[in-house]
Amino acid sequence: MAKIKRIALIAHDNKKPEIIAWAMKNKEILQKFSLCGTGTTSKRIQEATGLEVKGYLSGPLGGDQQIGALVATGEIDLVVFFCDPLQAQPHDPDVKALLRITNVYDVAIATNVATADLVVASLSKDN
């Protein structure tokens, strides 16, 4: 039996409406995966879509690091992180650490809708 892939969903505050809309559009695909995410993002996606999304801490309170630890232990197959490039983030070192760890462990990370659509479409072919 194939392992169910796990996707982490994260979004900066100004990108939360965008990731919620993306999750709603891709609900049929996403329901085939085990989903997790940082604090408010996971809660808002779950409320809007009905998808089960395991929540971790808020990004600034350590959630980005929790997701990074899951990447490092092989428990995350894809990170969808809608970053806001136009807004300074007080937890920017944590964000950079998460981006770095996905590169270290060769885990795909989608930081915008176009990339997320391509990667999830590709993953859905495997399930």
Side-chain angles (χ1 to χ4, degrees):
M1 177 182 271
K3 177 185 150 203
I4 295 176
K5 290 183 172 35
R6 191 161 188 202
I7 300 173
L9 304 169
I10 308 168
H12 285 144
D13 287 345
N14 290 340
K15 296 292 186 169
K16 287 189 190 334
E18 194 172 330
I19 200 167
I20 292 165
W22 177 83
M24 288 174 67
K25 181 181 88 176
N26 290 286
K27 181 179 176 178
E28 191 173 309
I29 295 170
L30 291 174
Q31 66 189 5
K32 298 176 185 177
F33 300 100
S34 175
L35 305 174
C36 67
T38 52
T40 307
T41 303
S42 63
K43 182 179 178 184
R44 289 189 53 197
I45 291 171
Q46 189 164 300
E47 288 171 351
T49 65
L51 292 167
E52 185 175 331
V53 185
K54 178 177 175 39
Y56 290 97
L57 295 172
S58 168
L61 298 178
D64 296 333
Q65 293 180 349
Q66 287 180 300
I67 299 294
L70 294 170
V71 169
T73 57
E75 297 175 57
I76 298 289
D77 301 292
L78 167 65
V79 177
V80 176
F81 189 169
F82 287 4
C83 302
D84 185 351
L86 303 177
Q87 180 84 24
Q89 301 298 325
H91 64 295
D92 193 53
D94 297 336
V95 173
K96 288 182 179 168
L98 179 57
L99 295 172
R100 180 185 169 278
I101 205 76
T102 59
N103 282 311
V104 168
Y105 288 95
D106 198 26
V107 170
I109 183 164
T111 58
N112 58 51
V113 172
T115 307
D117 283 346
L118 287 170
V119 176
V120 168
S122 174
L123 282 177
S124 71
K125 292 177 184 175
D126 295 339
N127 278 336

